[in-house]
Amino acid sequence: MPLTAPPGDDTANPAEAVLPEPAGPRRATPVGLVELSERVVESVLNRCPWLYRAVEIFLAACTVVCLIAIATRRSPLPLLPIPLFGVTYLLLRRLRTAETRAHRFRWSMLTALAAMTGFYLVSVVGRWVS
């Protein structure tokens, strides 16, 4: 094996040596947890374009349930989660228009946090009212 051949090439003639693939534009492998999370969020959002509409419908249904609970419980406490559902809707709109992977990750985390806080308030209000 000649010394000029690339590693792993066992050809005897250096002219026949196969050069390794050029280092062109390749996708970078995730370095840490944040990069891996960004890739997962982007993959989910690209594969499921209907997800935005489904979350909007679910937020609207939760808001309607809170409004119905005002009449059935005769208490204004079920109104508490509605502003958080509104914030979730606005964050979802920002997520839809985000262009970079990092922005999509940030907006999706904020959207999830606002929605979970709203659902937590629904459970707390349910305990208070009952």
Side-chain angles (χ1 to χ4, degrees):
M1 181 168 109
L3 295 175
T4 57
D9 191 4
D10 295 334
T11 58
N13 186 358
E16 295 176 7
V18 178
L19 297 175
E21 293 186 27
R26 295 177 64 187
R27 287 191 151 179
T29 58
V31 178
L33 185 62
V34 174
E35 290 86 4
L36 179 63
S37 301
E38 289 173 356
R39 288 182 67 183
V40 168
V41 166
E42 183 170 12
S43 174
V44 167
L45 292 177
N46 286 338
R47 288 182 185 176
C48 304
W50 50 267
L51 191 62
Y52 300 110
R53 178 60 72 186
V55 172
E56 287 176 355
I57 291 170
F58 186 68
L59 286 173
C62 288
T63 303
V64 168
V65 167
C66 287
L67 292 174
I68 292 172
I70 294 169
T72 58
R73 302 282 184 159
R74 292 193 173 103
S75 170
L77 287 177
L79 286 175
L80 286 177
I82 292 179
L84 282 168
F85 293 149
V87 168
T88 303
Y89 176 76
L90 293 175
L91 291 172
L92 185 66
R93 302 296 287 182
R94 295 285 288 214
L95 173 62
R96 185 180 285 196
T97 60
E99 295 179 4
T100 65
R101 188 182 340 175
H103 286 136
R104 281 185 167 192
F105 176 69
R106 289 181 190 126
W107 287 119
S108 66
M109 290 299 110
L110 287 173
T111 302
L113 181 66
M116 286 187 292
T117 307
F119 297 135
Y120 174 74
L121 276 179
V122 167
S123 69
V124 169
V125 165
R127 276 186 262 138
W128 286 346
V129 172
S130 62

